[in-house]
Amino acid sequence: MMWTSRKLVKAAAIGTIGLGTLASLRVNEYDIGAIGIVRLSRAALAVFEIGRYYKKELYNSKLDKSSPEYLQLKSNAHKYGAQKLLELCCANKGVYIKVGQHVGALDYLLPHEYVYTMRVLHSSAPQSSFKDVLTVIKEDFKKDPYEIFQTIDPEPLGTASLAQVHRAVMKNGDVVAVKVQHRAVKSNSYIDIKTMSTLVSITSLVFPDFKFDWLVEETKKNIPQELDFIREGKNAERVQRIFSGCRWLKVPRIHWDVSSARVLTMEFVDGGQVNDLEYMRVHQLNPFEVSSKLGRLYSQMIFIEGFVHSDPHPGNILVRNRDSQVEIVLLDHGLYADLSDQFRWNYSKLWLAILDSDLSAMKEYCTRLGVGDYYGLLSCMVSGRTWETIVAGVRKTQYDIREKEMFQQNVPNLLPQISTVLDRVNRQMLLILKTNDLVRSIEYSLRTQFRMSAMMEMSKCCVRSVYGEKLKECSNAWDRCWVSLTERLVLLKLSFYYMYLGLIHFNLNNSVDSLWTKDFYPF
């Protein structure tokens, strides 16, 4: 993947065209000319520097590509590129932070140097000044913030790409969390989407094997949704209704009287981040219970409800001790995947095919999802398991650190194919892949990925989804009764099967449990 002078000339030409276009372009009421030039120039320069480093240090190397020396060079190039990308995200903020967070979520799909470097953006994005926070509140409610709130803490509880959250006290004494959008993020988002489109054109010339259009398309679709806090509040209330019978899930209540498109006021709920093992030890929370409930929640969302919280990074999920049980607190409801029934059924059948090592069915349902010729790769991306494990049997093969390392070692060699899959696959799959990787990352942090319980819960939800489709096709009560009975028998059989697998893996799980008890529960 060499940079030829011809490619550099083309890239420069596209950059010049993009700058000229931005200079004269207006989007709504925002004049994006000067600001757009600065932000695009900064981004284009970062891409050029990253490409130049790869060319000089890696692609011009005469080393054998399988040698340890070459692999070290490649790792160094990835680290350099990731650091430059992080600096760009922090400088441009807004949408760039959001894209950086997306990169940091693709734990199984991108080189780990990029993933680990960008993951810092999940918890420590650049913050706005307290003066800007007060200005946004004043602009939206047409009154002084201290006419609404008794107090507002100047230091944010947390800062994300599009907003930050401050603890406040209402006039009636209620303690609330106030999410305030960064003042310039909405206007800059129009600029960023335009500049990213141009940037992707440049990158596609420099790296023709990689297709990044899907990332721009997803950004265009998702950012406007995430910038509408009224929509976010309604998403939160929808999740509350869906899981109203789930006593271990907490969704903070929205205060609509002090909420707007840029300010969302909600009930203040404390707790520790879902990956904070020290917090769990101090508050006597079992990591396996945390992982089990998280798996149950997301399996229900994906396979049964078709309404999926799609930003489950650790800063958006809290845990706390409630009546001696783990309670999951779900925050930040700006980004949801709203899945069609047909997608949900096809995705459920793909998972069952993966679990059963049914290669023919995998190909069929990957074809329905848009990438039949890459069915093996998509199956690996969906499951986070190696092809060797999938063929041998995911249910029969215990996941371990060796397999994770092998998976991540092979990822860099498949990046062109992965980018092709992401470009072609059903658009609904993109947020699901991101969600899968974030949940797996949490499980890995909790050291609970060795357990079979999460797989059992997911398998049951897949079965319920598939039989839900059969029930919809039933024309009479007798057919519905028969399908319901068959579903129960399949679920019962599945439970016995997992009990059997649990006995096989008992020794390993027992040793892992004892390690947890010894290391984290000395009391």
Side-chain angles (χ1 to χ4, degrees):
M1 218 180 325
M2 298 283 289
W3 276 36
T4 64
S5 58
R6 187 177 179 183
K7 286 179 182 176
L8 286 173
V9 169
K10 284 185 178 180
I14 285 185
T16 303
I17 292 169
L19 291 171
T21 302
L22 285 169
S24 60
L25 188 62
R26 293 178 66 86
V27 178
N28 295 341
E29 72 272 28
Y30 302 110
D31 183 350
I32 68 172
I35 300 174
I37 289 173
V38 171
R39 295 172 76 80
L40 175 60
S41 298
R42 191 183 287 146
L45 181 61
V47 169
F48 179 79
E49 287 183 354
I50 292 170
R52 184 176 60 179
Y53 188 89
Y54 272 87
K55 177 180 181 293
K56 178 183 176 183
E57 301 295 333
L58 186 62
Y59 301 144
N60 285 348
S61 170
K62 305 299 183 183
L63 294 171
D64 179 2
K65 292 187 177 182
S66 62
S67 69
E69 293 79 10
Y70 182 84
L71 295 178
Q72 185 60 52
L73 278 181
K74 182 187 283 189
S75 178
N76 292 342
H78 288 335
K79 287 176 183 176
Y80 179 87
Q83 187 58 41
K84 285 293 179 183
L85 185 59
L86 178 62
E87 291 170 5
L88 170 63
C89 291
C90 291
N92 276 3
K93 303 180 183 178
V95 173
Y96 285 84
I97 296 282
K98 180 60 65 176
V99 172
Q101 289 177 337
H102 199 144
V103 171
L106 300 178
D107 193 30
Y108 288 79
L109 305 181
L110 294 175
H112 69 272
E113 292 88 353
Y114 278 90
V115 173
Y116 294 157
T117 300
M118 304 307 290
R119 194 166 284 169
V120 68
L121 296 174
H122 286 155
S123 56
S124 55
Q127 68 183 57
S128 295
S129 68
F130 188 55
K131 180 182 177 182
D132 277 354
V133 169
L134 296 178
T135 299
V136 170
I137 296 173
K138 187 174 182 178
E139 288 175 351
D140 275 30
F141 296 105
K142 310 304 179 188
K143 59 175 66 175
D144 188 281
Y146 291 101
E147 293 179 42
I148 305 171
F149 302 104
Q150 193 178 120
T151 61
I152 309 173
D153 290 353
E155 284 299 313
L157 295 168
T159 304
S161 55
L162 307 180
Q164 60 194 53
V165 179
H166 291 257
R167 185 180 183 276
V169 179
M170 303 284 289
K171 290 293 186 179
N172 64 2
D174 288 349
V175 180
V176 294
V178 186
K179 182 176 180 179
V180 183
Q181 204 169 103
H182 298 310
R183 192 178 179 193
V185 74
K186 188 172 184 178
S187 57
N188 283 343
S189 69
Y190 293 104
I191 302 168
D192 293 341
I193 290 171
K194 293 292 180 182
T195 59
M196 282 179 63
S197 296
T198 304
L199 195 60
V200 164
S201 298
I202 297 172
T203 307
S204 296
L205 279 176
V206 177
F207 301 108
D209 290 337
F210 297 91
K211 298 174 177 64
F212 297 102
D213 291 345
W214 62 271
L215 188 56
V216 176
E217 290 172 13
E218 283 301 294
T219 303
K220 283 182 180 179
K221 182 181 74 174
N222 294 331
I223 289 298
Q225 297 179 28
E226 293 187 78
L227 288 171
D228 183 358
F229 287 179
I230 299 297
R231 182 190 182 99
E232 178 175 345
K234 290 179 179 178
N235 284 343
E237 291 188 335
R238 183 176 171 184
V239 172
Q240 282 178 323
R241 290 193 299 271
I242 290 173
F243 293 96
S244 58
C246 187
R247 296 186 177 182
W248 48 263
L249 177 66
K250 173 70 176 177
V251 177
R253 180 173 58 88
I254 305 299
H255 289 254
W256 285 114
D257 54 329
V258 280
S259 293
S260 67
R262 294 193 299 168
V263 179
L264 187 64
T265 304
M266 66 206 93
E267 171 188 6
F268 177 81
V269 181
D270 60 357
Q273 284 195 178
V274 69
N275 62 345
D276 188 341
L277 294 172
E278 179 60 22
Y279 177 91
M280 293 182 197
R281 186 191 69 80
V282 171
H283 292 83
Q284 301 187 31
L285 299 174
N286 188 335
F288 291 111
E289 185 182 351
V290 171
S291 184
S292 177
K293 287 181 173 177
L294 199 60
R296 199 182 317 169
L297 173 65
Y298 276 90
S299 291
Q300 180 80 12
M301 283 183 170
I302 293 171
F303 299 108
I304 306 300
E305 304 298 341
F307 189 61
V308 188
H309 179 275
S310 297
D311 204 10
H313 66 73
N316 287 341
I317 304 175
L318 304 181
V319 293
R320 60 181 186 171
N321 193 325
R322 191 164 181 83
D323 300 327
S324 300
Q325 291 189 1
V326 169
E327 182 177 59
I328 304 289
V329 182
L330 203 56
L331 307 174
D332 197 335
H333 300 269
L335 184 60
Y336 271 76
D338 213 337
L339 310 178
S340 68
D341 285 344
Q342 195 60 56
F343 173 85
R344 186 166 53 82
W345 294 331
N346 285 332
Y347 185 57
S348 299
K349 291 169 186 174
L350 173 59
W351 254 115
L352 290 175
I354 292 170
L355 294 173
D356 292 336
S357 302
D358 186 339
L359 305 190
S360 176
M362 280 184 235
K363 186 169 185 177
E364 177 185 349
Y365 294 110
C366 284
T367 299
R368 294 190 188 185
L369 293 170
V371 286
D373 46 345
Y374 286 95
Y375 76 95
L377 181 55
L378 181 60
S379 298
C380 292
M381 291 165 67
V382 163
S383 64
R385 308 296 296 267
T386 62
W387 182 245
E388 178 186 10
T389 295
I390 290 174
V391 171
V394 170
R395 286 177 171 139
K396 300 174 185 177
T397 308
Q398 188 76 33
Y399 182 81
D400 57 27
I401 189 65
R402 182 194 63 82
E403 185 179 353
K404 175 180 170 64
E405 290 174 350
M406 185 183 301
F407 193 106
Q408 289 187 320
Q409 284 172 5
N410 289 329
V411 162
N413 301 324
L414 296 170
L415 287 179
Q417 293 90 335
I418 289 172
S419 72
T420 298
V421 168
L422 294 174
D423 189 54
R424 293 185 190 176
V425 77
N426 185 305
R427 298 295 90 184
Q428 296 173 84
M429 180 65 81
L430 296 176
L431 284 179
I432 296 300
L433 288 170
K434 174 190 173 186
T435 302
N436 284 349
D437 279 339
L438 281 168
V439 172
R440 284 192 200 108
S441 178
I442 291 170
E443 289 179 341
Y444 186 74
S445 298
L446 296 177
R447 307 179 199 172
T448 59
Q449 74 275 20
F450 300 106
R451 298 288 283 232
M452 300 295 289
S453 57
M455 192 178 294
M456 179 175 70
E457 189 62 42
M458 184 185 64
S459 299
K460 287 181 177 179
C461 284
C462 287
V463 169
R464 288 170 57 199
S465 173
V466 169
Y467 277 89
E469 180 186 14
K470 294 179 184 294
L471 281 170
K472 282 200 171 187
E473 295 171 349
C474 291
S475 57
N476 55 62
W478 169 250
D479 286 345
R480 284 193 292 274
C481 182
W482 178 252
V483 169
S484 296
L485 178 61
T486 306
E487 177 188 1
R488 291 179 185 180
L489 289 173
V490 170
L491 289 172
L492 182 62
K493 179 182 176 182
L494 200 61
S495 295
F496 281 121
Y497 181 62
Y498 275 103
M499 284 176 62
Y500 166 72
L501 290 179
L503 289 174
I504 292 177
H505 299 306
F506 175 78
N507 290 333
L508 175 59
N509 288 339
N510 213 29
S511 64
V512 172
D513 283 348
S514 65
L515 276 174
W516 270 107
T517 305
K518 180 180 177 182
D519 293 345
F520 294 97
Y521 297 103
F523 42 82

